[in-house]
């Protein structure tokens, strides 16, 4: 029998505790579904440039979230994906849409129907993968190939009924349609326990295998929920300041356009238009932030610094924020 079948009769094997599912509920509250999430901050740093060599950070400090953090952020915010299993007749791959939430380790928990093809397949072979990628329409015109995505592979286990109380409350908070389904006998919760995690930053980026234990222990980016409400307004109201950032932080005096397309706890991603070409740059916050309000404050400080350098020719420090040109 498969682990998928074994766990339907043995609720003690490799299942999270009630405390874990309480954590799941709390995590669901913290990271709810956001229809307008802008994930361009997760874009690959591999973009084709037409001119200068990449700018290197001026200090040896982290200014871009790690691949592990990006992976965990994607799976926490993207609450649906493609679940792939093996068919029972010839073991060919079968993929189908699946909604999910994550527990406190970042493991996806899905609500499946007993007669769905994936459920039938899992009864014979518990191995499966879940592909997660945020919608391309949320990336300011970026193609789907340029957006970061994650595939989690491992065994799918049934969640014992004794462990589902918190799930029955948490799952409909993210997927409201499921409120009437969670108590029906033909539906059950299944959890994917990843043994391998694969991250791709976008077209042309080198794919990366992510350490599973590191993924389980890291937290998603704390700004993931707030980015959609922050960036559009800044792009409309702060064009002068964005161009001054190009001038004083990047050394680009005459640009045709500047657009914020990503923000996280470590800094912002700025797309600069130079004639027919565009390049992406990273400008780090001087101090990592812990809240959305902190990020707004750091952005105002960068704008203020640019204004002072432009109008007075000086600032309290001669050093500039760390920058990086995505290559």
């Amino acid at each position: 029998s498969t682990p998928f079948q074994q766990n339907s009769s043995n609720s003690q094997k490799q299942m999270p505790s009630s405390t874990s599912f309480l954590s799941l509920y709390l995590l669901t509250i913290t990271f709810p579904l956001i229809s307008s999430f802008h994930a361009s901050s997760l874009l690959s740093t591999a973009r084709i440039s037409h001119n200068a060599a990449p700018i290197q950070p001026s200090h040896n400090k982290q200014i871009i979230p790690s691949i592990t953090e990006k992976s965990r952020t994607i799976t926490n915010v993207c609450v649906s994906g493609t679940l792939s299993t093996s068919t029972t007749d010839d073991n060919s791959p079968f993929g189908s849409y699946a909604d999910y939430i994550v527990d406190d380790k970042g493991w996806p928990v899905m609500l499946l129907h007993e007669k769905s093809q994936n459920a039938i397949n899992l009864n014979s072979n518990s191995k499966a993968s879940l592909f997660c990628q945020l919608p391309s329409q949320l990336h300011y015109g970026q193609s789907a190939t340029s957006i970061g995505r994650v595939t989690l592979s491992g065994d799918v286990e049934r969640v014992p009924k004794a462990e589902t109380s918190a799930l029955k409350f948490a799952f409909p908070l993210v997927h409201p349609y499921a409120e009437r389904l969670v108590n029906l006998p033909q539906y059950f919760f299944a959890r994917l326990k990843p043994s391998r995690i694969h991250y791709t930053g976008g077209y042309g980026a080198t794919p990366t295998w992510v350490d599973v234990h590191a993924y389980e222990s890291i937290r998603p980016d704390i700004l993931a929920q707030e980015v959609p409400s922050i960036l559009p307004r800044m792009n409309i109201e702060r064009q002068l300041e964005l161009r001054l950032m190009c001038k004083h932080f990047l050394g680009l005096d005459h640009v045709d356009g500047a657009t914020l397309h990503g923000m996280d706890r470590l800094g912002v991603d700025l797309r600069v238009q130079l004639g027919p070409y565009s390049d992406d740059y990273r400008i780090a916050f001087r101090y990592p932030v812990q809240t959305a309000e902190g990020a707004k404050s750091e952005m105002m400080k960068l704008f203020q610094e640019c204004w002072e350098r432009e109008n007075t020719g000086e600032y309290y420090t001669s050093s500039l924020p760390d920058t990086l040109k995505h290559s």
Side-chain angles (χ1 to χ4, degrees):
S1 62
T2 68
F4 182 75
Q5 295 170 315
Q6 291 169 1
N7 281 332
S8 64
S9 59
N10 186 351
S11 62
Q12 302 302 316
K13 287 190 177 181
Q14 299 180 340
M15 295 307 301
S17 64
S18 299
T19 303
S20 297
F21 282 121
L22 178 59
S23 300
L24 164 66
Y25 162 65
L26 295 175
L27 187 61
T28 305
I29 294 294
T30 308
F31 297 97
L33 174 64
I34 313 158
S35 60
S36 61
F37 178 72
H38 186 300
S40 292
S41 62
L42 307 179
L43 293 178
S44 165
T45 58
R47 294 180 59 83
I48 299 177
S49 173
H50 64 279
N51 48 26
I55 300 171
Q56 296 301 320
S58 57
H59 302 102
N60 184 25
K61 74 174 186 180
Q62 182 185 10
I63 66 172
I64 299 176
S66 67
I67 297 299
T68 305
E69 184 176 342
K70 290 180 180 182
S71 300
R72 185 68 186 267
T73 301
I74 289 175
T75 56
N76 272 266
V77 178
C78 181
V79 292
S80 63
T82 302
L83 177 65
S84 296
T85 55
S86 299
T87 57
T88 57
D89 50 359
D90 60 358
N91 286 323
S92 60
F94 175 86
S96 182
Y97 177 93
D99 287 329
Y100 69 89
I101 58 177
V102 292
D103 64 13
D104 55 351
K105 290 185 176 181
W107 296 354
V109 180
M110 300 159 285
L111 182 66
L112 301 180
H113 191 283
E114 289 284 2
K115 293 185 178 181
S116 68
Q117 187 60 53
N118 272 325
I120 294 171
N121 294 342
L122 288 168
N123 280 322
S124 298
N125 184 349
S126 63
K127 297 292 184 183
S129 67
L130 183 69
F131 171 81
C132 309
Q133 182 177 28
L134 293 158
S136 59
Q137 63 264 32
L138 304 181
H139 294 259
Y140 293 98
Q142 292 296 305
S143 66
T145 58
S146 64
I147 301 169
R149 53 262 194 187
V150 175
T151 301
L152 298 90
S153 303
D155 285 298
V156 175
E157 305 170 335
R158 286 178 181 254
V159 178
K161 291 183 179 180
E163 305 284 354
T164 61
S165 295
L167 285 173
K168 288 181 178 181
F169 186 82
F171 199 91
L173 291 176
V174 180
H175 306 288
Y177 72 86
E179 184 175 4
R180 65 181 183 84
L181 304 178
V182 292
N183 292 310
L184 297 179
Q186 61 267 41
Y187 285 89
F188 64 95
F189 287 107
R191 183 189 61 156
L192 173 61
K193 179 182 179 182
S195 56
R196 305 188 77 188
I197 301 173
H198 188 265
Y199 173 85
T200 302
Y203 182 78
T206 302
T208 304
W209 289 102
V210 178
D211 181 80
V212 174
H213 296 297
Y215 167 88
E216 293 170 349
S217 61
I218 204 167
R219 296 295 91 189
D221 183 74
I222 47 92
L223 291 184
Q225 288 180 282
E226 308 293 339
V227 170
S229 63
I230 296 174
L231 296 190
R233 187 169 182 174
M234 285 192 175
N235 281 324
I236 294 173
E237 299 178 355
R238 299 289 181 173
Q239 269 300 304
L240 174 60
E241 289 88 343
L242 293 177
R243 290 171 183 261
L244 289 178
M245 288 175 69
C246 295
K247 178 179 179 180
H248 293 286
F249 297 159
L250 304 177
L252 302 174
D253 202 350
H254 302 289
V255 302
D256 298 309
T259 305
L260 283 174
H261 68 85
M263 176 184 290
D264 51 61
R265 63 184 179 85
L266 298 177
V268 296
D269 295 307
L270 189 66
R271 178 160 298 126
V272 180
Q273 191 73 31
L274 295 166
Y277 303 101
S278 64
D279 283 304
D280 287 357
Y281 293 84
R282 179 70 169 183
I283 300 177
F285 295 141
R286 289 191 179 274
Y287 302 98
V289 300
Q290 301 299 324
T291 65
E293 290 304 315
K296 294 175 186 177
S297 175
E298 284 300 309
M299 280 302 302
M300 292 304 106
K301 291 176 183 177
L302 292 179
F303 290 157
Q304 177 68 20
E305 178 176 345
C306 290
W307 188 91
E308 292 187 19
R309 291 184 185 277
E310 176 72 12
N311 291 279
T312 69
E314 59 184 23
Y315 192 59
Y316 81 92
T317 176
S318 60
S319 66
L320 297 173
D322 288 329
T323 58
L324 177 71
K325 182 177 181 181
H326 298 315
S327 57

